[in-house]
Amino acid sequence: MAKQLDYHTIREIFTRFQAADPEPKGELEHVNAYTLVVAVALSAQATDAGVNKATRELFKIADTPEKMLALGEEGVTEHIKTIGLFRQKAKNVIKLSRILVEQYGGEVPNSRAALQSLPGVGRKTANVVLNMWWRIPAQAVDTHIFRVGNRTGICPGKDVDTVERAIEDNIPADFQQHAHHWLILHGRYHCKARKPMCGTCLIRDLCQFEDKTL
């Protein structure tokens, strides 16, 4: 685990991220808050590309909890069977849709606690929805962010909760809204798990990773 970088270094890192990609976007396809919740819940232990492939047709016919309930568990299963853990995920999608209809009038709540009460929705999923839909600077820590945070020293921590706090505590406020997207995309396409592309990395000179590749 790298040592926590200082304020000025972190500010320079995110200044470079912002210059390269001013408005980073999440890669899960969605048309409203509800389809975003479903897409993020389905993305656990699956790739965004795999989820998008499965949900394109699903969301054409079921873009509200009412329509999803009408489709039924078997109908949902048929659409998402290319995704890992699809049977359990189909059950969760139906359960959370029923709760949204019965307890929230078919609307997606915008509090972390309410979101986390939905089946298949953990803290990371809730934070993604809060950030992407309501533009609340919540930080969703996935494996990419955990790796980048610890390698670079931007937000080191022994677990995802510690890394989430390190982002909130150490990344300047003006970068908080997009912080997790910049970190995810950097980890996905540059600071890869097995073969990090250090030779073309825009923060190579600021990163504390000792095993940099050429």
Side-chain angles (χ1 to χ4, degrees), residues 1 4 8 48 64-65 68 85-86 97 126 139 152 155 162 166 170 197 214:
M1 184 190 301
Q4 176 69 57
H8 296 291
D48 288 359
T64 68
M68 198 70 76
L85 307 175
F86 65 93
S97 299
Q139 308 301 334
T152 61
C155 45
T162 310
N170 296 292
M197 299 164 66
L214 295 175

Side-chain angles (χ1 to χ4, degrees), residues 110-112 127 129-139 176-177:
N110 63 352
S111 83
R112 184 184 284 118
N127 283 350
V129 176
L130 291 172
N131 184 289
M132 288 180 64
W133 193 258
W134 282 288
R135 299 188 68 79
I136 296 169
Q139 308 301 334
Q176 286 280 333
Q177 180 62 54

Side-chain angles (χ1 to χ4, degrees), residues 64-134:
T64 68
E66 293 86 355
K67 291 177 184 175
M68 198 70 76
L69 288 173
L71 186 59
E73 188 179 317
E74 286 306 311
V76 175
T77 301
E78 196 60 32
H79 277 90
I80 68 167
K81 60 186 179 184
T82 55
I83 302 174
L85 307 175
F86 65 93
R87 291 194 188 283
Q88 183 57 49
K89 288 178 180 178
K91 284 185 171 67
N92 286 339
V93 168
I94 291 298
K95 285 179 183 175
L96 75 83
S97 299
R98 186 169 290 114
I99 290 171
L100 289 176
V101 170
E102 293 177 353
Q103 297 183 24
Y104 298 98
E107 299 295 321
V108 175
N110 63 352
S111 83
R112 184 184 284 118
L115 286 166
Q116 283 188 244
S117 72
L118 300 173
V121 177
R123 185 178 180 88
K124 186 183 82 170
T125 298
N127 283 350
V128 170
V129 176
L130 291 172
N131 184 289
M132 288 180 64
W133 193 258
W134 282 288

